[in-house]
């Protein structure tokens, strides 16, 4: 029995709850790439899949720090270095209480194929901690980040492994992590991306994932002969880095965004959401969306406790295009049924794996244009790689240059995914197209580099 079969057998036996999301991600890829494996026996002969699904290494460490009351706090830190066939390990850090090895393996595995799709020289990794930044003072976040980097710095480097942000890790955390790295190593190098602009960050890195998801959707709708987003009602979930910048770009191109959500509830504002207020509440004050309805009393706030059975309030809102941008498995079969019933035409995954397999199957069977995360949200890591290039050459690119190259890259990824799907007899299936195209490039590199 191959490792892949063995892994799936374990999953089917329900032995490894912690790894459920990793198996979910892996199973989708295994089904998608079947036509490729059948068409060329070299991949099976050289055990590429079995080698790809096992990370090169998992680093797990203790993080101790003092809170503001001088209590000793202990968290667990991780870095999953999955595959560096195409370039240095690359992928974000997530700070969230739900982080464990399984979550980071799912994210790291997706990242290998995502980074491959960009055509840029970057391998796949992910890391993070079960540390919860919510409710912590800036000083506590700084102390945690310093302690986290005290251990992590041993395993990263500008040409070895370059972490970035993800849920719970933005410019503030990257700044503290970078400060500690410099203190320990005395080197100013592009070892982290997503840095604030004034000490080595790239312009447009904060906007990149959200903007990129919209660029991808524009190309997909054009390729699928659907009407463009201009003037259309769109729904977005999440209210963090990805969601707010997706909203920003959608508004810039003339779409009407009527929703957003956080871990406590959902906003529906039929006149279009007030982005400045959302940024004030979520980015500046790190508050709850409930505050939005205090300023806009005509908007509706639905707390999580009132969500439909098995579903989410945000996907009950009629829309032309939906953008799940919060977290994994936030769009279920119930949600997909609601989107279909309300005439939705396209779903773009801004978050990583936000749709359940059942939801994807249902959406695709109803011919909804479906843009999978590893292709549609690649804009963040694309601009991260631009940041690495700028750091390596000690240069600064203009906003216009980064935006132009981001749009060009997202358009290229979309077309390549669509073409690959067509070549392998699954035209219009962007999930299979992304998995085949992403896998093939890494697999060919692994073959060329030997066992
Ligand atoms: P942020 O931490 O900036 O924002 C996350 C948002 O999602 C917040 O609004 C948060 O609510 C909400 N959220 C998080 N967990 C849950 C949950 N369990 N249930 C409901 N809502 C939740 O993260 P990002 O915007 O950076 O990341 C969002 C998604 O995009 C993730 O899947 C991430 O992996 C993915 N991604 C991020 C990239 C990046 O460059 N940052 C690049 C590519 C993908 P609250 O405010 O209440 O915490
Ligand atoms: O999921 C992702 O692509 C990210 N969190 C961004 C990774 C990066 O290295 O910029």
């Amino acid at each position: 029995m191959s490792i892949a079969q063995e892994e799936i057998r374990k999953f089917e036996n329900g032995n490894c709850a912690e790894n459920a999301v990793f198996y979910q991600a892996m199973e989708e890829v295994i089904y998608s790439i079947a036509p490729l494996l059948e068409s060329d026996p070299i991949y099976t002969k050289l055990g590429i899949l079995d080698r790809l699904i096992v990370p090169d290494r998992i680093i797990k460490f203790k993080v101790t720090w003092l809170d503001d009351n001088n209590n000793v706090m202990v968290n667990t830190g991780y870095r999953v270095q999955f595959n560096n066939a195409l370039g240095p390990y690359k992928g974000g850090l997530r700070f969230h209480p739900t982080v464990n090895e399984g979550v980071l393996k799912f994210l790291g595995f997706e990242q290998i194929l995502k980074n491959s799709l960009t055509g840029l020289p970057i391998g796949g990794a992910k890391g993070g901690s079960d540390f919860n930044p919510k409710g912590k003072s800036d000083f506590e976040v700084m102390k945690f980040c310093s302690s986290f980097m005290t251990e992590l710095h041993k395993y990263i480097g500008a040409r070895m492994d370059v972490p970035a942000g993800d849920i719970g890790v933005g410019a503030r955390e990257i700044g503290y992590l970078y400060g500690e790295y410099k203190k320990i190593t005395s080197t100013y190098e592009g070892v982290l991306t997503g840095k604030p602009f004034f000490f080595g960050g790239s312009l447009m890195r904060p906007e990149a994932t959200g903007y990129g998801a919209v660029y991808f959707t524009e190309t997909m709708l054009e390729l699928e002969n659907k009407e463009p987003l201009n003037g259309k009602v769109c729904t977005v979930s999440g209210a963090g880095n990805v969601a707010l910048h997706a909203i920003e770009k959608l508004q810039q191109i003339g779409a009407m965004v009527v929703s957003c959500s956080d871990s406590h509830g959902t906003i529906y504002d039929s006149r279009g959401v007030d982005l400045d207020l959302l940024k004030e509440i979520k980015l500046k004050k790190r508050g709850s969306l409930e505050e939005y309805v205090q300023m806009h009393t005509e908007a509706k706030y639905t707390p999580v406790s009132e969500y439909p059975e098995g579903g989410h309030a945000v996907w009950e809102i009629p829309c032309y295009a939906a953008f799940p941008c919060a977290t994994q498995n936030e769009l279920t079969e119930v949600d997909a049924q609601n989107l279909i019933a309300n005439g939705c035409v396209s779903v773009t995954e801004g978050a990583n794996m936000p749709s359940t397999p059942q939801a994807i199957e249902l959406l695709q069977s109803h011919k909804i244009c479906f843009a999978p995360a590893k292709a549609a949200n690649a804009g963040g890591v694309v601009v991260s790689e631009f940041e690495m290039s700028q750091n390596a050459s000690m240069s600064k690119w203009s906003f216009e240059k980064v935006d132009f190259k981001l749009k060009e890259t997202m358009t290229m990824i979309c077309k390549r995914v669509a073409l690959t799907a067509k070549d392998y007899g699954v035209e219009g299936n962007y999930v299979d197209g992304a998995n085949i195209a992403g896998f093939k490039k890494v697999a060919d590199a692994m073959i060329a580099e030997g066992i």
Side-chain angles (χ1 to χ4, degrees):
M1 188 180 280
S2 74
I3 298 176
Q5 286 164 331
E6 173 66 16
E7 289 293 306
I8 287 184
R9 190 188 60 76
K10 275 195 277 176
F11 172 48
E12 284 170 352
N13 288 347
N15 284 344
C16 298
E18 183 174 309
N19 275 319
V21 278
F22 174 51
Y23 293 129
Q24 182 182 331
M26 190 173 71
E27 214 170 6
E28 180 197 285
V29 172
I30 291 172
Y31 282 119
S32 281
I33 64 173
L36 175 68
L37 301 190
E38 276 157 27
S39 71
D40 193 341
I42 187 81
Y43 300 112
T44 309
K45 183 162 178 275
L46 293 179
I48 296 297
L49 187 57
D50 290 352
R51 287 156 59 192
L52 192 69
I53 61 171
V54 180
D56 288 351
R57 65 195 65 78
I58 299 178
I59 299 142
K60 183 173 177 181
F61 50 92
K62 182 175 66 180
V63 187
T64 48
W65 54 284
L66 288 180
D67 75 6
D68 286 346
N69 298 317
N70 284 333
N71 295 312
V72 178
M73 309 300 284
V74 184
N75 288 98
T76 307
Y78 306 86
R79 186 69 180 165
V80 179
Q81 295 180 333
F82 227 115
N83 184 290
N84 64 354
L86 293 175
Y89 299 108
K90 182 84 195 89
L93 297 171
R94 178 176 290 192
F95 291 169
H96 195 269
T98 56
V99 163
N100 59 37
E101 218 170 281
V103 167
L104 297 177
K105 274 163 69 185
F106 125 62
L107 290 163
F109 182 68
E110 292 282 285
Q111 197 83 46
I112 306 170
L113 303 184
K114 180 192 307 190
N115 294 2
S116 164
L117 282 173
T118 67
L120 299 167
I122 39 181
K126 205 82 189 191
S129 174
D130 56 1
F131 170 72
N132 186 359
K134 260 191 210 158
K136 304 288 189 301
S137 69
D138 280 356
F139 202 56
E140 287 175 324
V141 171
M142 188 181 80
K143 284 187 286 185
F144 173 81
C145 288
S146 298
S147 179
F148 185 85
M149 186 52 87
T150 306
E151 189 64 25
L152 186 70
H153 87 276
K154 300 169 192 166
Y155 311 102
I156 60 176
R159 293 292 166 109
M160 189 202 298
D161 182 357
V162 183
D166 194 79
I167 289 178
V169 179
R172 174 182 62 168
E173 289 74 18
I174 294 289
Y176 293 148
L177 290 164
Y178 192 59
E180 187 64 25
Y181 182 85
K182 276 202 294 131
K183 206 182 292 172
I184 299 169
T185 64
S186 300
T187 49
Y188 179 91
E189 56 174 9
V191 70
L192 292 167
T193 59
K195 299 182 288 298
F197 175 68
F198 57 96
F199 57 88
S202 176
L203 285 174
M204 258 202 87
R205 177 60 187 87
E207 293 87 350
T209 314
Y211 280 25
V214 176
Y215 294 152
F216 188 98
T217 310
E218 287 181 303
T219 308
M220 176 176 71
L221 292 173
E222 201 181 313
L223 292 176
E224 300 302 315
N225 296 314
K226 303 286 188 221
E227 288 179 32
L229 294 166
N230 178 21
K232 296 286 194 286
V233 171
C234 296
T235 48
V236 174
S237 68
N241 173 276
V242 179
L244 295 182
H245 292 108
I247 294 173
E248 187 166 275
K249 181 50 71 180
L250 285 166
Q251 291 185 342
Q252 283 173 13
I253 64 169
M256 163 99 131
V257 184
V258 296
S259 74
C260 66
S261 64
D262 64 13
S263 50
H264 303 291
T266 295
I267 291 290
Y268 172 48
D269 191 337
S270 61
R271 302 158 319 148
V273 293
D274 176 346
L275 184 58
D276 288 340
L277 180 60
L278 288 175
K279 283 185 175 175
E280 178 71 26
I281 296 171
K282 295 304 298 185
L283 300 184
K284 282 210 185 119
K285 289 164 63 184
R286 299 178 190 271
S288 162
L289 278 181
E290 213 170 344
E291 291 175 40
Y292 185 94
V293 281
Q294 288 160 15
M295 299 294 287
H296 290 291
T297 47
E298 62 296 330
K300 183 173 178 228
Y301 177 75
T302 310
V304 172
S305 56
E306 289 175 24
Y307 281 8
E309 182 76 25
H312 301 82
V314 67
W315 311 126
E316 285 192 319
I317 303 166
C319 68
Y320 180 77
F323 292 81
C325 295
T327 193
Q328 60 266 18
N329 291 327
E330 55 155 318
L331 196 160
T332 62
E333 196 173 4
V334 172
D335 298 322
Q337 276 160 1
N338 284 329
L339 287 167
I340 293 162
N342 287 326
C344 173
V345 165
S346 100
V347 174
T348 300
E349 295 192 316
N352 281 310
M353 206 169 74
S355 318
T356 64
Q358 298 77 12
I360 298 175
E361 205 181 320
L362 196 59
L363 292 167
Q364 289 184 322
S365 69
H366 283 78
K367 303 281 177 240
I368 309 289
C369 299
F370 183 82
K374 60 174 73 73
N377 76 23
V381 79
V382 164
V383 175
S384 274
E385 199 277 346
F386 296 167
E387 185 171 328
M388 290 162 70
S389 295
Q390 292 170 71
N391 291 163
S393 58
M394 300 293 271
S395 62
K396 289 272 188 201
W397 297 1
S398 68
F399 192 94
E400 290 70 28
K401 177 172 175 174
V402 179
D403 193 29
F404 176 82
K405 284 177 74 71
L406 171 65
K407 193 166 192 174
E408 185 182 57
T409 311
M410 295 311 295
T411 306
M412 176 281 289
I413 296 173
C414 186
K415 288 184 175 166
R416 193 155 143 241
V417 165
L419 203 62
T420 306
K422 197 170 171 196
D423 284 351
Y424 283 86
V426 282
E427 192 167 358
N429 188 331
Y430 286 64
V431 173
D432 288 349
N435 286 329
I436 295 169
F439 174 85
K440 190 171 184 317
K441 189 154 187 265
V442 185
D444 290 345
M446 288 168 73
I447 291 169
E449 290 169 16
I451 295 169

